[in-house]
Amino acid sequence: MFKIRDVVIDPPLVLAPVAGHTDSLFRQAIKSLGGCGLVVSELVSTEGMTRNPGNADHLTHFEEMERPISIQIFGRDPVRMAESARMVEAMGADIIDINVGCPVKKVVRQGGGSNLLRDLPLLEKIFKAVRAATAKPLTVKIRSGWDRNTINAIEVLKLAEASGVEALTIHGRARCDMFSGRSDWSIIARVKRHARIPIIGNGDVLAPQDADRMFRETGVDGVMLGRGVLTNPWLIRQCWDYLNGTEVKQASLSDRAEFMTAFLRKVNDRLPPPVALGKMKKLGGCLSKGFPGSAHLRARLHSSSTADELFMALEEHFAGQLGAHGRRP
Ligand SMILES: Cc1cc2nc3c(=O)[nH]c(=O)nc-3n(C[C@H](O)[C@H](O)[C@H](O)COP(=O)(O)O)c2cc1C
């Protein structure tokens, strides 16, 4: 375990913020499988939040069982960032996280996310404004730099520390990498060596052995996992079991059937029908990877035109597969 000021992160494994995926329902599902010491909300626009209070409620909503929870904000205007931090504090978040890593054009064009890696004077203003606005623990999530010639993670770390930021997550890709190539864990190790605050490492932890290797090779305090969890919700639990030397259980087909059906039912119950169907296809598409006949199931989910059709596809698929392969005792 490690601490971000008084917030205990135990186990030291963190569910990454993944926009469009890691909403409250998904985070609850992951927490209930065990092994996850901290969850982070999807990124929330401070422009949107401060101009139209209430519009971001679906992004900032969380349940008590998710705690400790960090809410992540992004933007470029120190005043709006500070105002948003006050709003997030009032919502009861345990930690406020600033996004300085998002590479997508929409965010970068507005001057936020990874764009701040190439405007450190503005980043410093943001850190200081947000720090002054909230008494809550403050963290930042960064990429290693804007491009290969401007890897500045250590400079950003020093700026963060001097501004009262209390932990830093680093994804070892630069903005120019988007999601190609590999996360460079050597820069994560270098940041950790220079840090006085806790460091969370991120990028390409797709198996329990990867988490173990990231801890050993970089010395980080915590490991954050994103895409691997979208296709294997048990991944964080499996990492924790592996780190503890206990048996790592693979999810059986019936575990997957149960998880997918129960989780997608909740999504369907909570959202208005057209939104629910789209979201179920997206989440179901990720969850239906890597098991017998999963490509066929994915195609059926995607071609469903109603929720009933989608659940029928799930039921028929798993009934057929489990009939053919037998249920695990
Ligand atoms: C579709 C998608 C959405 C993401 N949304 C966010 C986000 O809202 N905030 C953030 O800090 N990172 C976001 N990320 C980056 C992840 O948190 C993480 O840093 C990245 O995926 C690398 O970790 P991984 O290899 O474990 O997935 C997103 C990544 C993806 C693929």
Coordinates of all heavy atoms in Angstrom, one line a residue, residues 89-151:
E89 N -14.5 19.0 -4.9 CA -14.4 18.8 -3.5 C -15.8 18.8 -2.8 O -16.0 17.9 -2.0 CB -13.6 20.0 -2.9 CG -13.5 19.9 -1.4 CD -12.4 20.8 -0.7 OE1 -11.6 21.5 -1.5 OE2 -12.5 21.0 0.5
A90 N -16.7 19.7 -3.2 CA -18.0 19.7 -2.6 C -18.8 18.4 -2.9 O -19.6 18.0 -2.2 CB -18.8 20.9 -3.2
M91 N -18.4 17.8 -4.0 CA -19.1 16.5 -4.4 C -18.6 15.3 -3.5 O -19.2 14.3 -3.5 CB -18.8 16.1 -5.8 CG -19.5 17.0 -6.8 SD -18.7 16.6 -8.5 CE -19.3 18.0 -9.4
G92 N -17.5 15.6 -2.8 CA -17.0 14.5 -1.8 C -15.9 13.7 -2.4 O -15.6 12.6 -1.8
A93 N -15.3 14.1 -3.5 CA -14.2 13.3 -4.0 C -13.1 13.2 -3.0 O -12.9 14.1 -2.2 CB -13.6 13.9 -5.3
D94 N -12.3 12.1 -2.9 CA -11.2 11.9 -2.0 C -10.0 12.6 -2.5 O -9.1 13.0 -1.7 CB -10.9 10.4 -1.8 CG -12.1 9.7 -1.2 OD1 -12.5 10.1 -0.1 OD2 -12.7 8.9 -1.9
I95 N -9.8 12.6 -3.8 CA -8.6 13.2 -4.5 C -9.1 13.9 -5.7 O -10.0 13.5 -6.4 CB -7.7 12.0 -4.9 CG1 -7.2 11.2 -3.7 CG2 -6.5 12.5 -5.8 CD1 -6.4 10.0 -4.0
I96 N -8.3 15.0 -6.1 CA -8.6 15.7 -7.3 C -7.4 15.5 -8.2 O -6.2 15.8 -7.8 CB -8.9 17.2 -7.0 CG1 -10.1 17.3 -6.2 CG2 -9.0 18.0 -8.4 CD1 -10.3 18.7 -5.6
D97 N -7.6 15.0 -9.4 CA -6.5 14.7 -10.4 C -6.6 15.7 -11.6 O -7.7 15.9 -12.1 CB -6.7 13.3 -10.9 CG -5.5 12.9 -11.7 OD1 -4.3 12.9 -11.2 OD2 -5.6 12.5 -12.8
I98 N -5.5 16.2 -12.0 CA -5.4 17.1 -13.2 C -4.9 16.3 -14.3 O -3.8 15.7 -14.3 CB -4.5 18.3 -12.9 CG1 -5.1 19.1 -11.7 CG2 -4.4 19.2 -14.1 CD1 -4.3 20.4 -11.4
N99 N -5.6 16.3 -15.5 CA -5.2 15.6 -16.6 C -4.2 16.4 -17.5 O -4.5 17.5 -18.0 CB -6.4 15.3 -17.5 CG -6.1 14.5 -18.8 OD1 -5.1 14.9 -19.5 ND2 -6.8 13.4 -19.0
V100 N -3.0 15.9 -17.5 CA -1.9 16.6 -18.3 C -1.4 15.6 -19.3 O -0.2 15.5 -19.6 CB -0.8 17.2 -17.4 CG1 0.2 18.0 -18.2 CG2 -1.5 18.1 -16.4
G101 N -2.3 14.7 -19.8 CA -1.8 13.6 -20.7 C -2.6 13.3 -21.9 O -2.2 12.8 -22.8
C102 N -3.9 13.7 -21.8 CA -4.8 13.4 -22.9 C -4.3 13.8 -24.2 O -4.0 15.0 -24.4 CB -6.2 13.9 -22.6 SG -7.3 13.4 -23.9
P103 N -4.1 12.9 -25.2 CA -3.5 13.3 -26.5 C -4.5 13.7 -27.6 O -4.2 14.1 -28.6 CB -2.8 12.0 -26.9 CG -3.6 10.9 -26.4 CD -4.3 11.5 -25.1
V104 N -5.8 13.5 -27.3 CA -6.8 13.6 -28.4 C -7.0 15.1 -28.8 O -6.9 16.0 -28.0 CB -8.2 13.0 -28.1 CG1 -8.1 11.5 -27.6 CG2 -9.0 13.8 -27.1
K105 N -7.2 15.2 -30.2 CA -7.2 16.6 -30.8 C -8.1 17.5 -30.1 O -7.8 18.7 -29.8 CB -7.5 16.4 -32.2 CG -6.3 16.2 -33.1 CD -6.6 16.7 -34.6 CE -5.5 16.2 -35.5 NZ -5.9 15.2 -36.4
K106 N -9.4 17.0 -29.8 CA -10.4 17.9 -29.2 C -9.9 18.6 -27.9 O -10.2 19.7 -27.7 CB -11.6 17.0 -29.0 CG -12.9 17.8 -29.0 CD -14.1 16.8 -28.9 CE -14.7 16.8 -27.5 NZ -15.7 15.8 -27.3
V107 N -9.2 17.8 -27.1 CA -8.7 18.3 -25.8 C -7.5 19.2 -26.0 O -7.4 20.3 -25.5 CB -8.4 17.1 -24.9 CG1 -7.7 17.6 -23.6 CG2 -9.7 16.4 -24.5
V108 N -6.6 18.7 -26.9 CA -5.3 19.5 -27.1 C -5.6 20.8 -27.8 O -5.0 21.8 -27.4 CB -4.4 18.6 -28.0 CG1 -3.2 19.4 -28.5 CG2 -3.8 17.4 -27.1
R109 N -6.5 20.8 -28.7 CA -6.9 22.1 -29.4 C -7.4 23.1 -28.5 O -7.2 24.3 -28.7 CB -7.9 21.8 -30.5 CG -7.3 22.2 -31.9 CD -8.4 22.2 -33.0 NE -8.5 20.9 -33.6 CZ -9.6 20.1 -33.7 NH1 -10.7 20.5 -33.1 NH2 -9.7 19.0 -34.3
Q110 N -8.1 22.7 -27.4 CA -8.6 23.6 -26.4 C -7.5 24.0 -25.5 O -7.7 24.8 -24.5 CB -9.7 23.0 -25.6 CG -11.0 22.7 -26.4 CD -12.0 21.9 -25.6 OE1 -12.0 21.9 -24.4 NE2 -12.8 21.1 -26.3
G111 N -6.3 23.5 -25.6 CA -5.2 23.9 -24.8 C -5.0 23.0 -23.5 O -4.1 23.3 -22.7
G112 N -5.8 22.0 -23.3 CA -5.7 21.2 -22.1 C -5.0 19.8 -22.4 O -4.4 19.7 -23.4
G113 N -5.1 18.9 -21.4 CA -4.5 17.6 -21.5 C -3.0 17.7 -21.8 O -2.3 18.5 -21.2
S114 N -2.5 16.9 -22.7 CA -1.0 16.9 -23.0 C -0.5 18.2 -23.5 O 0.7 18.4 -23.5 CB -0.7 15.7 -23.9 OG -1.3 15.8 -25.1
N115 N -1.4 19.0 -24.0 CA -0.9 20.3 -24.5 C -0.2 21.1 -23.4 O 0.8 21.9 -23.7 CB -2.1 21.2 -25.1 CG -1.6 22.4 -25.8 OD1 -0.9 22.2 -26.9 ND2 -1.8 23.5 -25.3
L116 N -0.5 20.9 -22.2 CA 0.1 21.6 -21.1 C 1.5 21.2 -20.9 O 2.3 21.9 -20.3 CB -0.7 21.4 -19.8 CG -2.1 22.0 -19.8 CD1 -2.9 21.6 -18.6 CD2 -2.0 23.6 -19.8
L117 N 1.9 20.1 -21.5 CA 3.3 19.6 -21.4 C 4.3 20.6 -22.1 O 5.5 20.6 -21.9 CB 3.5 18.2 -21.9 CG 2.8 17.1 -21.1 CD1 2.9 15.8 -21.8 CD2 3.5 16.9 -19.7
R118 N 3.7 21.3 -23.1 CA 4.5 22.3 -23.8 C 4.2 23.7 -23.4 O 4.6 24.6 -24.2 CB 4.4 22.0 -25.3 CG 3.0 22.1 -25.9 CD 3.0 21.9 -27.4 NE 1.7 22.0 -27.9 CZ 1.4 21.9 -29.1 NH1 2.3 21.9 -30.1 NH2 0.1 22.0 -29.5
D119 N 3.6 23.9 -22.3 CA 3.3 25.2 -21.8 C 3.5 25.2 -20.3 O 2.5 25.3 -19.5 CB 2.0 25.7 -22.2 CG 1.8 27.2 -22.0 OD1 2.6 27.8 -21.2 OD2 0.8 27.8 -22.5
L120 N 4.7 25.0 -19.8 CA 4.9 24.8 -18.4 C 4.5 26.1 -17.5 O 4.1 25.9 -16.4 CB 6.3 24.3 -18.1 CG 6.7 23.0 -18.6 CD1 8.0 22.4 -18.0 CD2 5.6 21.9 -18.5
P121 N 4.8 27.3 -18.1 CA 4.3 28.4 -17.3 C 2.8 28.4 -17.0 O 2.4 28.7 -15.9 CB 4.7 29.6 -18.1 CG 5.8 29.1 -19.0 CD 5.5 27.7 -19.2
L122 N 2.0 28.0 -18.0 CA 0.6 27.9 -17.8 C 0.3 26.7 -16.8 O -0.6 26.9 -15.9 CB -0.1 27.7 -19.1 CG -1.7 27.5 -19.0 CD1 -2.4 28.7 -18.4 CD2 -2.3 27.2 -20.4
L123 N 1.0 25.6 -17.0 CA 0.8 24.5 -16.1 C 1.0 24.9 -14.7 O 0.3 24.5 -13.8 CB 1.7 23.3 -16.5 CG 1.5 22.0 -15.7 CD1 0.0 21.5 -15.8 CD2 2.4 20.9 -16.2
E124 N 2.1 25.7 -14.5 CA 2.4 26.1 -13.1 C 1.2 26.9 -12.5 O 0.8 26.8 -11.4 CB 3.7 26.9 -13.1 CG 4.1 27.3 -11.7 CD 5.4 28.0 -11.7 OE1 5.9 28.5 -12.7 OE2 6.0 28.1 -10.5
K125 N 0.7 27.8 -13.4 CA -0.4 28.7 -12.9 C -1.6 27.8 -12.5 O -2.3 28.0 -11.5 CB -0.9 29.6 -14.0 CG 0.0 30.8 -14.2 CD -0.6 31.9 -15.1 CE 0.5 32.9 -15.4 NZ 0.6 33.2 -16.8
I126 N -1.9 26.7 -13.4 CA -3.0 25.8 -13.1 C -2.8 25.1 -11.8 O -3.6 25.1 -10.9 CB -3.2 24.9 -14.3 CG1 -3.8 25.6 -15.5 CG2 -4.1 23.7 -13.9 CD1 -3.9 24.8 -16.7
F127 N -1.6 24.5 -11.6 CA -1.2 23.8 -10.3 C -1.5 24.7 -9.2 O -2.1 24.4 -8.2 CB 0.2 23.4 -10.3 CG 0.5 22.1 -11.1 CD1 1.8 21.9 -11.6 CD2 -0.4 21.2 -11.4 CE1 2.2 20.8 -12.3 CE2 -0.1 20.0 -12.1 CZ 1.2 19.8 -12.6
K128 N -1.0 26.0 -9.3 CA -1.1 26.9 -8.1 C -2.5 27.3 -7.8 O -2.9 27.4 -6.7 CB -0.2 28.1 -8.3 CG 1.3 27.6 -8.2 CD 2.3 28.8 -8.0 CE 3.6 28.2 -7.6 NZ 4.7 29.0 -8.1
A129 N -3.3 27.5 -8.9 CA -4.7 28.0 -8.7 C -5.5 26.9 -8.1 O -6.3 27.1 -7.2 CB -5.2 28.4 -10.1
V130 N -5.3 25.6 -8.6 CA -6.1 24.5 -8.1 C -5.6 24.2 -6.7 O -6.5 24.0 -5.8 CB -5.9 23.3 -9.0 CG1 -6.6 22.1 -8.4 CG2 -6.5 23.6 -10.4
R131 N -4.3 24.3 -6.4 CA -3.8 24.0 -5.1 C -4.5 25.0 -4.1 O -4.9 24.6 -3.0 CB -2.3 24.1 -5.1 CG -1.6 23.9 -3.8 CD -1.7 22.4 -3.2 NE -3.1 22.1 -2.8 CZ -3.5 20.9 -2.4 NH1 -2.7 19.9 -2.5 NH2 -4.7 20.6 -2.0
A132 N -4.6 26.2 -4.5 CA -5.1 27.3 -3.6 C -6.6 27.1 -3.4 O -7.2 27.5 -2.4 CB -4.8 28.7 -4.1
A133 N -7.3 26.4 -4.3 CA -8.7 26.3 -4.3 C -9.3 25.2 -3.5 O -10.4 25.2 -3.1 CB -9.3 26.2 -5.7
T134 N -8.4 24.2 -3.2 CA -8.9 23.0 -2.5 C -8.0 22.5 -1.4 O -6.7 22.6 -1.6 CB -9.2 21.8 -3.5 OG1 -9.6 20.7 -2.8 CG2 -8.0 21.5 -4.4
A135 N -8.6 22.0 -0.4 CA -7.8 21.4 0.7 C -7.6 19.9 0.4 O -6.9 19.2 1.2 CB -8.5 21.6 2.0
K136 N -8.2 19.3 -0.6 CA -8.2 17.9 -0.9 C -6.8 17.5 -1.4 O -6.1 18.3 -2.1 CB -9.2 17.5 -1.9 CG -10.6 17.5 -1.3 CD -10.8 16.2 -0.6 CE -12.1 16.3 0.2 NZ -12.3 15.1 1.1
P137 N -6.4 16.3 -1.3 CA -5.2 15.8 -1.9 C -5.3 16.0 -3.5 O -6.3 15.8 -4.1 CB -5.1 14.3 -1.6 CG -5.9 14.2 -0.3 CD -7.0 15.2 -0.4
L138 N -4.2 16.5 -4.0 CA -4.1 16.9 -5.4 C -3.1 16.1 -6.1 O -2.0 16.0 -5.7 CB -3.8 18.4 -5.5 CG -3.6 19.0 -6.9 CD1 -4.9 18.9 -7.7 CD2 -3.2 20.5 -6.8
T139 N -3.5 15.5 -7.3 CA -2.6 14.7 -8.1 C -2.6 15.1 -9.5 O -3.5 15.9 -9.9 CB -2.9 13.2 -8.0 OG1 -4.2 13.0 -8.5 CG2 -3.0 12.7 -6.5
V140 N -1.6 14.6 -10.3 CA -1.6 14.9 -11.7 C -1.3 13.6 -12.5 O -0.5 12.8 -12.0 CB -0.6 16.0 -12.0 CG1 0.9 15.6 -11.6 CG2 -0.6 16.4 -13.5
K141 N -1.8 13.5 -13.7 CA -1.5 12.4 -14.6 C -0.9 12.9 -15.9 O -1.5 13.8 -16.5 CB -2.8 11.5 -14.9 CG -2.5 10.3 -15.8 CD -3.7 9.4 -15.7 CE -3.5 8.2 -16.6 NZ -3.9 8.5 -18.0
I142 N 0.3 12.5 -16.2 CA 1.0 13.0 -17.3 C 1.4 12.0 -18.3 O 1.4 10.8 -18.0 CB 2.3 13.8 -16.9 CG1 3.4 12.8 -16.3 CG2 2.0 14.9 -15.8 CD1 4.7 13.5 -16.1
R143 N 1.8 12.4 -19.5 CA 2.6 11.6 -20.4 C 4.1 12.0 -20.3 O 4.4 13.0 -19.6 CB 2.1 11.7 -21.8 CG 0.8 11.0 -22.1 CD 0.5 10.9 -23.6 NE -0.6 10.1 -23.8 CZ -0.7 9.2 -24.8 NH1 0.3 9.0 -25.7 NH2 -1.7 8.4 -25.0
S144 N 5.0 11.3 -20.9 CA 6.4 11.5 -20.7 C 6.9 12.9 -21.3 O 7.9 13.4 -20.8 CB 7.3 10.4 -21.3 OG 7.0 10.3 -22.7
G145 N 6.1 13.4 -22.3 CA 6.5 14.6 -22.9 C 5.6 14.8 -24.1 O 4.7 14.0 -24.4
W146 N 5.8 16.0 -24.8 CA 5.0 16.2 -26.0 C 5.4 15.4 -27.2 O 4.7 14.7 -27.8 CB 5.0 17.7 -26.3 CG 4.3 18.1 -27.6 CD1 4.8 18.3 -28.8 CD2 2.9 18.2 -27.7 NE1 3.9 18.6 -29.7 CE2 2.6 18.5 -29.1 CE3 1.8 18.0 -26.9 CZ2 1.3 18.7 -29.6 CZ3 0.5 18.2 -27.4 CH2 0.3 18.5 -28.7
D147 N 6.8 15.4 -27.4 CA 7.3 14.6 -28.5 C 8.7 14.1 -28.0 O 9.1 14.4 -26.9 CB 7.3 15.3 -29.8 CG 8.2 16.5 -29.8 OD1 9.2 16.5 -29.0 OD2 7.9 17.5 -30.6
R148 N 9.3 13.3 -28.9 CA 10.5 12.6 -28.6 C 11.7 13.6 -28.2 O 12.6 13.3 -27.4 CB 11.0 11.7 -29.7 CG 10.2 10.5 -29.9 CD 10.4 9.6 -28.6 NE 9.2 8.7 -28.5 CZ 9.0 7.7 -29.3 NH1 9.9 7.4 -30.2 NH2 8.0 6.9 -29.1
N149 N 11.6 14.8 -28.8 CA 12.7 15.8 -28.5 C 12.4 16.6 -27.3 O 13.2 17.4 -26.9 CB 12.8 16.7 -29.7 CG 13.2 16.0 -30.9 OD1 14.0 15.0 -30.9 ND2 12.6 16.3 -32.0
T150 N 11.2 16.4 -26.7 CA 10.9 17.3 -25.5 C 10.4 16.4 -24.4 O 9.3 16.8 -23.8 CB 9.8 18.3 -25.9 OG1 8.7 17.6 -26.5 CG2 10.4 19.3 -26.9
I151 N 11.0 15.4 -24.1 CA 10.6 14.5 -22.9 C 10.9 15.3 -21.7 O 12.1 15.6 -21.4 CB 11.4 13.2 -22.9 CG1 11.1 12.4 -24.2 CG2 11.1 12.4 -21.7 CD1 9.7 11.9 -24.4

